[in-house]
Amino acid sequence: MDKPLLMIPGPIEISPAVEQAVSGPPPGHLAPGFIAAFGRALGMMRTVWQAPADAQPYVVAGSGTTAMDMAIGNLLDEGDRALVPHIGYFSDRIAEMARRRGATVDVVPSALGEGPDLDAVAQKLRGTPYKALLCTHVDTSTGTRNDAAALAALAREHGALSVFDGVCSIGGEQFDMAGWGADVVLTGSQKAIGLPPGLGLLVVGARAQQARDKLQRPPALVLDYSSWRPIMTAYEAGTPSYFATPATTLVRGLDVALAEVARDGMDARFALHKNAADAFRAGFAALGLSLVTTPALAAHTISAVRLPGTVDAARFLQGVSARGVVIAGGLHPALKGNSFRVGHMGHVLHRPDDLRRTMRAIGESLRDEGHDADVEAALAPFEALA
Ligand SMILES: *Cc1c(COP(=O)(O)O)cnc(C)c1O
């Protein structure tokens, strides 16, 4: 059989050009071709993030979690206050990172599959001098998208710095960093950007840079903006500089992956993701399945879907996998064993046959498990995709 089709929320299918770029011997970090690739990648991050001119992109070895820790470590000191509009699994993670910096963390809760109440967030911000608002853009455990524009605006209005964990969104969901006034926006390489895992990617606005300079206790040296900023500036200006060895092979791939995102054009890229998400949603509905999240908040990069009570989740996932497609089980504690997740982001969206193959595998496996699934009806919405 062909290699399995990877339809999980990261790592995702990568394009042939990206695969080629991350193959072969590693480039040296002083090689002219590498310097050029790194510089281009940093420049394209500005485009993909829609970043303000004075923001600084960072590329570090690690994962999305590394980028989260870097954002938090450069922002919060002992005794600072942070507010987390909670939306799912990764909200707990960013809150814990803030606590480990010695910050006091308050949480605005939300019901499963719902975003936090924006009025409640505003009320908290009004009443307490928070230094930071720590948000997840798209929650990967429930497929719910926070209203990032509104949250960033609220933070600005109340003098807090906003951080967005965009690990499951950047490159697939619209994020207008400059227009919305977000201060730090981060992701990992293996989600909608379409690289293998291994890079943390952040764009840091001027206010958040200044907050680092005012910290009393600096972050770990390897995660310090101050360690990396001269390096990023140098590469973007076309000269090499050394602090710690960059993941050269992956950076070479990042140049290619971001060029593919940028070549789509950002609006077309977001539309590509929305159209695919709409086709999956219509397909799930045709199978009699419902999303975990409220439809209005459903992300365009991932779907979390409830299984009928009669279907055994483990057997269902095995049935999908036996058809050569890998999807994910539930991640959120309340969704383990009663739901599944499909990542629909990146290069694979240019291959509608693979999207159909995914939906067919889901439908047929459900049928095997005794659910009365009309597989052909679930495939119909994919006909409209180019
Ligand atoms: C995947 C994910 C993370 C964690 O990223 P890693 O690369 O696994 O460290 C954090 N936040 C969100 C929203 C994610 O989807």
Side-chain angles (χ1 to χ4, degrees), residues 32-290:
F34 174 76
I35 298 166
F38 203 166
R40 279 194 302 267
L42 290 163
M44 283 186 287
M45 282 175 71
R46 299 178 182 279
T47 307
V48 172
W49 268 246
Q50 304 183 252
D54 56 0
Q56 177 61 53
Y58 291 91
V59 176
V60 294
S63 76
T65 303
T66 314
M68 292 166 74
D69 242 344
M70 190 161 167
I72 298 303
N74 283 277
L75 182 59
L76 296 174
D77 253 330
E78 193 90 33
D80 284 339
R81 304 194 68 123
L83 184 63
V84 174
H86 195 283
I87 192 172
Y89 184 88
F90 289 105
S91 300
D92 290 327
R93 179 169 296 185
I94 207 161
E96 176 59 14
M97 287 171 172
R99 284 186 206 103
R100 290 195 181 195
R101 284 290 297 172
T104 302
V105 178
D106 292 333
V107 173
V108 178
S110 60
L112 189 69
E114 304 280 344
D117 176 29
L118 290 175
D119 289 338
V121 175
Q123 202 179 348
K124 284 290 235 182
L125 285 167
R126 254 195 308 276
T128 309
Y130 289 106
K131 184 174 187 184
L133 186 67
L134 310 178
C135 313
T136 313
H137 187 206
V138 166
D139 174 54
T140 322
S141 63
T142 60
T144 309
R145 189 183 50 249
N146 244 329
D147 186 343
L151 288 167
L154 279 175
R156 288 247 153 193
E157 186 185 334
H158 297 283
L161 294 163
S162 59
V163 174
F164 288 89
D165 166 359
V167 180
C168 201
S169 75
I170 296 301
E173 298 277 358
Q174 186 186 9
F175 203 105
D176 183 355
M177 185 177 176
W180 298 349
D183 291 296
V184 183
V185 185
L186 62 94
T187 188
S189 52
Q190 78 279 19
K191 298 202 185 168
I193 299 287
L195 264 186
L199 294 179
L201 309 169
L202 305 85
V203 179
V204 178
R207 297 199 310 164
Q209 287 287 343
Q210 285 154 14
R212 157 63 192 98
D213 298 337
K214 290 191 197 134
L215 280 185
Q216 281 166 17
R217 184 164 62 90
L221 194 67
V222 72
L223 296 182
D224 193 341
Y225 294 159
S226 302
S227 303
W228 287 109
R229 187 171 192 171
I231 313 304
M232 301 299 145
T233 311
Y235 274 102
E236 207 174 348
T239 48
S241 185
Y242 174 77
F243 164 66
T245 310
T248 54
T249 304
L250 286 170
V251 170
R252 183 170 65 191
L254 182 64
D255 174 35
V256 175
L258 289 173
E260 287 180 356
V261 175
R263 189 178 328 122
D264 280 344
M266 294 317 295
D267 287 344
R269 178 85 177 177
F270 303 140
L272 179 72
H273 284 72
K274 180 181 187 304
N275 292 340
D278 286 347
F280 272 101
R281 292 336 152 24
F284 294 136
L287 294 175
L289 306 179
S290 58

Side-chain angles (χ1 to χ4, degrees), residues 324-347:
V325 178
V326 186
I327 60 172
L331 172 68
H332 193 289
L335 296 169
K336 283 206 165 88
N338 58 22
S339 69
F340 65 94
R341 295 175 303 140
V342 179
H344 30 77
M345 51 184 134
H347 173 74

